[in-house]
């Protein structure tokens, strides 16, 4: 039997197991490709006979695949419906703007290769009532506010259609959209439901899509059928995130700037420490380790995590002090570094203002008391070990 998903299968059970462990996209691609070749003309309602190459996989094997996510009947419906519908819109340049409750998120393809943003905070967002939990209102807000760069109109669909949104492009082509909102990516148990959603559209010469939003990780998966009837998953990632309040607009770029400023302040702090200890021949400075920075505000505004170096002060091969950047957003300071010693952990905080760091060592007796972190304070820490 031919190999599936890079696995040589000798039985239907092996095909089933291979598919069960595979991705949804691979399952759909294989299911469509094989089913379109094997199902008889009467099944598809067309007079054109289906090709059949000797030695290739038979319909029973495709059904074994189909049982992972959907019955063969559903796959037949998908193929038949594909014959009646227009091709799905091209997604490679699409940008989608939605409000999730408090945040506006602009999704687009491949954020690592930026192109001109089609929507902007100043002119494409309005002041909406704030909510305490976005997950409770995200579906409603998405349907109310969704906009797509390749649609002339995008509005709520009639309830009778079974879809949430209907888009119409400049050619008059309609796309019916089902919106799914979760705090995770799709799982195997979601696949049959998604298959059913995308197979039937309310009118001929239209297409359908499922928009699956992961609001925890800010990712939009768009499920469509391509011109050959295969199911295709297109991932759109956040290009920009902002909140609009009465006091103004808070944008993703402001978080990016704070993170960059934090890394520069840490680098300057390390440079001071190396300079202060440069005449201590018995001590060695290393930055061979790192800590991952992925704070809540970074996740909320889709700012990629960063690796920040840990500075170790070694005596021979034994650590004397370790400076570990712990948090940027802390109450009453502009960042915190943990100073780990043989005798315990000290807190080092920046109580300065923008452009003028003021590192202070917090007293272990009272967190309200601090002393300036300078060469003298550093020598005290080293000497106490």
């Amino acid at each position: 039997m031919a190999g599936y998903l890079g696995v040589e299968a000798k039985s239907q059970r092996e095909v089933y197991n291979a598919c069960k462990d595979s991705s949804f996209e691979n399952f759909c691609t294989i299911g469509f490709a094989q089913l379109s070749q094997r199902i008889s003309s009467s099944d598809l309602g067309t007079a054109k006979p289906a090709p059949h190459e000797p030695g290739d996989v038979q319909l029973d094997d495709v059904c074994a695949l189909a049982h992972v996510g959907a019955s063969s009947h559903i796959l037949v419906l998908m193929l038949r419906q594909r014959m009646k519908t227009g091709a799905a819109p091209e997604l490679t340049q699409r940008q989608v703007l939605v409000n999730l409750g408090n945040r506006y998120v602009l999704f687009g393809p491949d954020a690592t290769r930026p192109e001109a943003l089609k929507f902007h905070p100043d002119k494409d967002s309005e002041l909406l009532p704030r909510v305490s939990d976005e997950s409770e209102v995200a579906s409603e807000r998405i349907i109310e506010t969704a906009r797509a760069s390749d649609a002339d109109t995008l509005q709520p669909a009639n309830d009778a259609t079974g879809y949430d949104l209907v888009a119409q492009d400049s050619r008059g082509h309609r796309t019916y959209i089902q919106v799914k909102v979760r705090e995770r990516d799709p799982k195997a148990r979601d696949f049959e439901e998604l298959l059913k959603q995308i197979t039937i559209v309310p009118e001929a010469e239209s297409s359908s899509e499922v928009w699956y939003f992961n609001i925890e990780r800010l990712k939009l998966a768009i499920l469509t059928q391509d011109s050959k009837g295969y199911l295709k998953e297109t991932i759109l990632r956040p290009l920009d995130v902002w909140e609009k309040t009465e006091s103004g607009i808070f944008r993703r770029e402001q978080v990016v700037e704070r993170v960059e400023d934090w890394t520069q302040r840490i680098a300057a702090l390390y440079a001071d420490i190396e300079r202060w200890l440069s005449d201590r021949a018995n001590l060695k400075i290393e930055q061979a380790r790192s800590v991952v920075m992925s704070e809540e505000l970074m996740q909320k505004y889709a700012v990629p995590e960063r690796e920040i170096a840990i500075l170790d002060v070694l005596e021979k091969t034994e650590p004397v002090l370790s400076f570990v950047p712990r948090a940027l957003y802390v109450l009453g300071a502009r960042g915190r570094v943990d100073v780990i010693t043989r005798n315990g952990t000290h807190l080092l905080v920046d109580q300065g203002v923008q452009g003028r760091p003021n590192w202070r060592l917090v007293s272990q007796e009272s967190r309200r008391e601090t002393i300036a972190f300078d060469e003298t304070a550093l020598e005290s820490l080293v000497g106490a070990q």
Side-chain angles (χ1 to χ4, degrees):
M1 184 179 293
Y4 280 94
L5 318 177
V7 178
E8 282 296 325
K10 298 180 179 179
S11 69
Q12 290 187 14
R13 176 53 55 184
E14 288 181 273
V15 173
Y16 177 92
N17 289 334
C19 188
K20 183 174 63 175
D21 295 332
S22 176
S23 71
F24 171 53
E25 183 174 358
N26 284 340
F27 155 65
C28 292
T29 300
I30 290 169
F32 270 124
Q34 298 303 324
L35 206 63
S36 64
Q37 293 179 2
R38 302 295 163 248
I39 294 178
S40 70
S41 59
S42 59
D43 287 329
L44 290 175
T46 175
K48 183 178 179 181
H52 182 89
E53 296 82 17
D56 205 345
V57 180
Q58 304 302 305
L59 177 58
D60 289 343
D61 298 314
V62 178
C63 289
L65 289 171
H67 287 155
V68 178
S71 67
S72 58
H73 173 67
I74 288 178
L75 290 177
V76 172
L77 285 177
M78 294 168 76
L79 285 167
R80 182 186 295 131
Q81 187 62 34
R82 189 64 229 165
M83 294 178 179
K84 298 179 181 178
T85 61
E90 178 60 52
L91 302 179
T92 57
Q93 303 300 322
R94 178 185 290 181
Q95 294 183 17
V96 174
L97 175 65
V98 296
N99 179 274
L100 300 180
N102 297 323
R103 293 171 294 172
Y104 281 91
V105 183
L106 176 59
F107 293 96
D110 197 353
T112 62
R113 292 182 293 179
E115 62 176 82
L117 302 184
K118 307 293 177 62
F119 301 99
H120 300 275
D122 293 327
K123 64 178 183 179
D124 295 311
S125 56
E126 58 182 310
L127 188 62
L128 298 173
R130 294 187 62 78
V131 299
S132 58
D133 185 350
E134 285 187 318
S135 64
E136 295 180 354
V137 302
S139 293
E140 179 182 339
R141 283 286 178 87
I142 288 171
I143 295 170
E144 176 187 344
T145 63
R147 299 176 64 183
S149 61
D150 58 352
D152 282 5
T153 62
L154 180 59
Q155 57 193 17
N158 189 304
D159 289 343
T161 65
Y163 284 83
D164 298 305
L165 294 166
V166 58
Q168 183 167 306
D169 63 19
S170 58
R171 299 172 295 128
H173 178 87
R174 288 193 182 90
T175 301
Y176 288 86
I177 301 163
Q178 185 69 246
V179 173
K180 300 292 183 184
V181 177
R182 302 288 187 272
E183 295 181 338
R184 56 171 176 78
D185 289 337
K187 295 184 177 180
R189 64 174 178 266
D190 301 313
F191 293 161
E192 183 164 1
E193 178 187 357
L194 297 176
L195 285 170
K196 291 178 180 178
Q197 296 287 349
I198 207 169
T199 55
I200 302 174
V201 292
E203 59 187 35
E205 302 304 322
S206 63
S207 57
S208 60
E209 299 178 358
V210 174
W211 288 7
Y212 193 107
F213 290 88
N214 180 339
I215 61 172
E216 179 69 23
R217 292 296 180 182
L218 291 186
K219 183 164 67 173
L220 169 57
I222 300 182
L223 298 175
T224 60
Q225 294 181 69
D226 67 16
S227 60
K228 297 181 180 179
Y230 301 156
L231 233 65
K232 178 181 178 181
E233 182 184 48
T234 300
I235 301 296
L236 302 187
R237 302 189 183 277
L239 303 178
D240 200 1
V241 185
W242 66 83
E243 289 191 34
K244 188 168 188 176
T245 66
E246 293 181 352
S247 58
I249 296 174
F250 185 81
R251 296 189 63 175
R252 175 180 180 271
E253 64 185 25
Q254 293 170 262
V255 182
V256 173
E257 290 171 359
R258 285 291 303 275
V259 171
E260 184 61 31
D261 175 69
W262 174 239
T263 60
Q264 292 176 5
R265 283 185 284 138
I266 293 296
L269 172 66
Y270 288 175
D272 285 340
I273 294 171
E274 289 199 50
R275 178 167 51 83
W276 293 335
L277 296 177
S278 59
D279 61 347
R280 297 287 296 268
N282 63 319
L283 299 179
K284 178 183 177 182
I285 306 295
E286 281 189 355
Q287 295 186 38
R289 301 187 297 144
S290 63
V291 62
V292 175
M293 179 185 183
S294 181
E295 302 200 14
E296 182 179 352
L297 205 61
M298 294 172 65
Q299 296 176 25
K300 183 177 179 181
Y301 284 87
V303 176
E305 62 186 27
R306 296 278 295 268
E307 283 196 9
I308 302 183
I310 295 172
L311 185 142
D312 291 312
V313 180
L314 307 175
E315 187 171 21
K316 295 183 179 178
T317 59
E318 294 297 318
V320 177
L321 303 175
S322 292
F323 291 81
V324 183
R326 188 59 65 191
L328 167 58
Y329 296 97
V330 293
L331 188 63
R334 299 182 65 246
R336 166 186 147 193
V337 175
D338 287 355
V339 185
I340 301 173
T341 73
R342 294 168 178 167
N343 301 321
T345 299
H346 301 258
L347 303 184
L348 183 61
V349 296
D350 181 5
Q351 294 185 333
V353 295
Q354 180 67 33
R356 295 175 57 190
N358 179 19
W359 292 101
R360 311 281 298 180
L361 200 59
V362 178
S363 169
Q364 291 188 302
E365 285 73 32
S366 172
R367 292 202 172 189
R368 294 184 177 181
E369 299 178 7
T370 64
I371 62 171
F373 182 72
D374 52 20
E375 186 173 0
T376 301
L378 179 59
E379 287 288 350
S380 294
L381 287 175
V382 173
Q385 304 312 306

